[in-house]
């Protein structure tokens, strides 16, 4: 009888002990869940702050673009006549500041007018034409010739398009009269030459060059000869 009571008491004590352990584990798990929820809330607050900062940055950038547009609208010519007046004032200021000669002043005025689409007389265009060259003249300066020993103007023209050198900063249109009708021809400054020479040197001055030409991007092969007088 005594043994049975002792056994029952041990069983009850074990049950109580296990119950207390389970309760402590439940409390620990509840604390863990509470911590996880707290971290989730912190992360949500962090995300909200990041989004708010992104919106502030976007607003800052947009205000910057608005300021740039306003500045350009104020500074750039609205029409040819007001544009020319602003150019004249700028040329006067630069001439006084840097003591420009009449030739330098004329060149500066011409470049500003061309940059801002102010119409120039044909004489002014002809004055600057000597500073620009067609594809054949460039081929001679670069030293690239066809297999028939002619300046390889087609290759030069293709390289200009391939390298993106057919932009206003590198080229100008000049009038050409032929009797009754008149047209324009595109010529390029010496600034395109270093780009073309660098490309040829990087390719190892190949004797056969393949380039995509035309709107459809059809690949054309160019046979090339190099003259020793080519600019390096």
């Amino acid at each position: 009888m005594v043994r049975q009571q002792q056994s029952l008491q041990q069983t009850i004590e074990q049950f109580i002990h296990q119950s207390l352990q389970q309760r402590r584990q439940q409390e620990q798990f509840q604390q863990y869940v509470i911590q996880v929820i707290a971290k989730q809330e912190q992360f949500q607050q962090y995300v909200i702050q990041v989004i708010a900062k992104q919106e502030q940055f976007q607003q800052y950038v947009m205000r910057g673009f608005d300021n740039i547009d306003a500045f350009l609208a104020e500074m750039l010519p609205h029409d040819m006549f007001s544009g020319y007046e602003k150019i004249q004032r700028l040329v006067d200021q630069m001439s006084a500041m840097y003591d420009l000669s009449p030739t330098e002043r004329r060149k500066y005025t011409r470049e500003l007018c061309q940059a801002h689409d102010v119409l120039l007389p044909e004489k002014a265009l002809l004055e600057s034409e000597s500073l620009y060259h067609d594809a054949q003249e460039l081929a001679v300066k670069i030293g690239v010739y066809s297999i028939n020993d002619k300046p390889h103007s087609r290759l030069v023209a293709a390289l200009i398009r391939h390298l993106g050198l057919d932009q206003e900063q590198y080229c100008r249109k000049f009038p050409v009269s032929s009797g009754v009708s008149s047209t324009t021809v595109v010529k390029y400054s010496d600034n395109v030459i270093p780009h073309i020479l660098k490309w040829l040197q990087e390719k190892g001055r190949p004797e056969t060059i393949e380039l995509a030409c035309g709107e459809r991007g059809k690949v054309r092969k160019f046979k090339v000869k190099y003259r020793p007088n080519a600019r390096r």
Side-chain angles (χ1 to χ4, degrees):
M1 185 69 179
V2 174
R3 289 183 180 179
Q4 290 179 351
Q5 289 177 349
Q6 290 177 347
S7 175
L8 177 61
Q9 186 175 356
Q10 289 176 355
T11 302
I12 293 172
E13 290 176 354
Q14 290 177 357
F15 177 76
I16 294 173
H17 180 71
Q18 291 176 354
S19 298
L20 291 174
Q21 283 185 338
Q22 290 178 354
R23 184 172 181 180
R24 281 196 296 269
Q25 290 176 352
Q26 288 178 351
E27 291 176 351
Q28 291 175 354
F29 180 74
Q30 289 176 351
Q31 290 296 325
Y32 171 76
V33 171
I34 292 171
Q35 291 176 358
V36 170
I37 293 173
K39 289 182 179 179
Q40 286 180 341
E41 292 177 350
Q42 291 177 357
F43 180 73
Q44 289 176 350
Q45 290 296 324
Y46 171 75
V47 172
I48 292 171
Q49 291 175 358
V50 170
I51 293 173
K53 288 181 179 179
Q54 286 180 342
E55 292 176 350
Q56 290 176 357
F57 178 74
Q58 289 176 352
Q59 292 176 358
Y60 170 77
V61 171
M62 294 306 297
R63 284 197 300 269
F65 284 136
D66 292 340
N67 292 335
I68 292 173
D69 291 339
F71 175 79
L72 292 177
E74 177 65 24
M75 294 302 296
L76 294 181
H78 297 283
D79 56 63
M80 185 178 70
F81 299 104
S82 65
Y84 181 73
E85 291 176 357
K86 292 179 180 179
I87 288 172
Q88 275 301 113
R89 289 199 299 269
L90 180 59
V91 171
D92 292 339
Q93 293 173 359
M94 294 297 107
S95 298
M97 186 179 300
Y98 296 104
D99 193 22
L100 297 181
S101 66
T103 301
E104 292 171 332
R105 179 186 174 94
R106 187 164 58 250
K107 179 183 176 182
Y108 186 45
T109 301
R110 181 176 63 245
E111 290 175 350
L112 286 174
C113 288
Q114 290 178 328
H116 294 291
D117 295 328
V118 176
L119 187 62
L120 288 169
E122 184 174 343
K123 183 178 180 180
L125 294 174
L126 293 176
E127 283 184 356
S128 64
E129 188 171 4
S130 61
L131 303 174
Y132 292 82
H133 317 281
D134 59 22
Q136 183 172 345
E137 293 169 341
L138 287 175
V140 174
K141 284 177 170 287
I142 296 169
V144 288
Y145 290 79
S146 67
I147 56 176
N148 297 324
D149 291 323
K150 293 182 179 180
H152 212 323
S153 57
R154 291 185 178 181
L155 170 62
V156 170
L159 282 172
I160 286 173
R161 289 190 297 270
H162 178 72
L163 297 174
L165 302 175
D166 51 349
Q167 302 176 16
E168 288 187 6
Q169 64 186 103
Y170 298 110
C171 64
R172 292 284 186 274
K173 291 182 179 180
F174 296 96
V176 177
S177 299
S178 58
V180 180
S181 61
S182 61
T183 182
T184 58
V185 62
V186 178
K187 293 189 176 184
Y188 306 90
S189 71
D190 286 333
N191 294 333
V192 304
I193 296 177
H195 295 283
I196 296 176
L197 284 175
K198 180 181 178 182
W199 188 91
L200 291 172
Q201 290 169 358
E202 288 178 349
K203 300 297 181 182
R205 296 167 64 84
E207 296 182 354
T208 301
I209 297 175
E210 295 185 2
L211 293 172
C213 302
E215 296 180 356
R216 297 182 179 180
K218 183 179 179 180
V219 176
R220 289 191 56 186
K221 291 184 179 181
F222 300 91
K223 298 289 185 179
V224 191
K225 288 183 178 181
Y226 298 93
R227 291 282 178 90
N229 64 338
R231 290 174 55 177
R232 300 292 178 90

